[in-house]
Amino acid sequence: MKSPVRKMFDGIASRYDFLNHFLSCYQDVLWRRYCCKRLKKMMCGMPRDLNKVRLLDLCGGTGDFANTFRKIFERKSCCKCGCACKCVSENKASRDFVVDPAVIGDFSYGMLAEVKPKKIDAHAVQLDAMKMPFAERQFDVILNGFGMRNVPDARGALLESYRVLDEGGYLCVLEFFSPRNLFNKFFYKVLAPLFIPVMGAFFSGKRDAYEYLVNSIIRFLPVDQFCKMAEECGFEVKQVKMFDGGISFGVFLHKPGNA
């Protein structure tokens, strides 16, 4: 039987991208771009000669994060990293990347059905983030955009991500974490419950879905507790980037190793 949360995401799939962009004033696009540029800078300094990147967009929905990743990683520029930085390896030669066809994994078939019209070079796979159908060390990068808080067991998803990630690889979690400072609490406990469900109902007809999304943020872990959990699962926390006063965060996790 389909879970209520999966049914909810199936029901809003056709309007999901539009409402994400609209409700965040297109900031979600900038957050994804930052995360991908930052990952590329980190990976330019990896000790192993990694040119082909095996990518998993976990809880990937319609594939926006994977699509942004490919555009950033395969973009040519003067420093060959697609960002205004000096990310060169020790021999002063910057690194070119080719991204293998990505795997976009999500539990919602409705969301994955929106991948094909975008013509993304990717395979859409319906899966359980806590029990993925992949061998160990299958991927070099795992993205998780706004999906970790929707997994019933975040620790289980982290452990499973660690299993399928190759040594030296990165997991980037872009998420709305539980509010802790005054601005976050005011935004998510006062403003968001007023306008997000109303706008969601107006554009998608699914007010209850957007009430769930607001409540899922409030119920989720704060970012510092999530980072502690990630370290307990074996990851190194490389960076925590706060966006727009803490409305969202990018958490960059590294699986130790020299592979």
Side-chain angles (χ1 to χ4, degrees), residues 46-89:
M46 288 178 69
R48 62 190 171 115
D49 185 18
L50 176 67
N51 296 109
K52 279 198 171 185
V53 180
R54 299 166 296 169
L55 172 66
L56 169 62
D57 188 357
L58 183 61
C59 306
T62 66
D64 261 10
F65 215 166
N67 198 29
T68 301
F69 183 92
R70 180 176 297 280
K71 290 177 180 177
I72 295 296
F73 265 65
E74 295 188 342
R75 179 183 298 164
K76 302 297 180 181
S77 67
C78 59
C79 72
K80 299 183 181 179
C81 78
C83 55
C85 64
K86 295 180 180 179
C87 52
V88 295
S89 57

Side-chain angles (χ1 to χ4, degrees), residues 57-223:
D57 188 357
L58 183 61
C59 306
T62 66
D64 261 10
F65 215 166
N67 198 29
T68 301
F69 183 92
R70 180 176 297 280
K71 290 177 180 177
I72 295 296
F73 265 65
E74 295 188 342
R75 179 183 298 164
K76 302 297 180 181
S77 67
C78 59
C79 72
K80 299 183 181 179
C81 78
C83 55
C85 64
K86 295 180 180 179
C87 52
V88 295
S89 57
E90 291 181 358
N91 62 5
K92 305 301 181 183
S94 54
R95 188 175 293 182
D96 290 326
F97 291 99
V98 174
V99 181
D100 281 348
V103 175
I104 300 173
D106 200 280
F107 72 160
S108 167
Y109 180 81
M111 299 289 278
L112 293 172
E114 300 296 319
V115 173
K116 188 174 181 180
K118 295 183 178 182
K119 298 181 179 180
I120 302 171
D121 187 12
H123 306 292
V125 179
Q126 190 173 22
L127 54 74
D128 180 347
M130 298 174 294
K131 191 177 181 181
M132 290 187 267
F134 307 121
E136 294 182 1
R137 300 175 56 176
Q138 192 76 22
F139 300 99
D140 303 300
V141 175
I142 300 177
L143 306 173
N144 191 306
F146 311 114
M148 192 64 75
R149 75 183 190 282
N150 296 311
V151 176
D153 179 10
R155 183 183 296 273
L158 281 169
L159 287 170
E160 186 69 348
S161 295
Y162 188 92
R163 181 185 70 82
V164 302
L165 190 65
D166 204 351
E167 292 181 356
Y170 288 90
L171 166 62
C172 176
V173 178
L174 175 60
E175 188 56 273
F176 302 118
F177 291 94
S178 179
R180 281 299 180 264
N181 64 43
L182 289 177
F183 171 74
N184 288 349
K185 289 180 179 179
F186 178 73
F187 181 83
Y188 281 118
K189 295 185 178 182
V190 178
L191 296 180
L194 291 176
F195 75 87
I196 290 180
V198 172
M199 291 296 100
F202 180 80
F203 287 107
S204 73
K206 305 287 185 179
R207 182 188 179 98
D208 57 339
Y210 286 87
E211 288 176 343
Y212 162 82
L213 291 175
V214 173
N215 291 331
S216 70
I217 297 167
I218 296 171
R219 291 194 302 262
F220 194 47
L221 295 169
V223 67

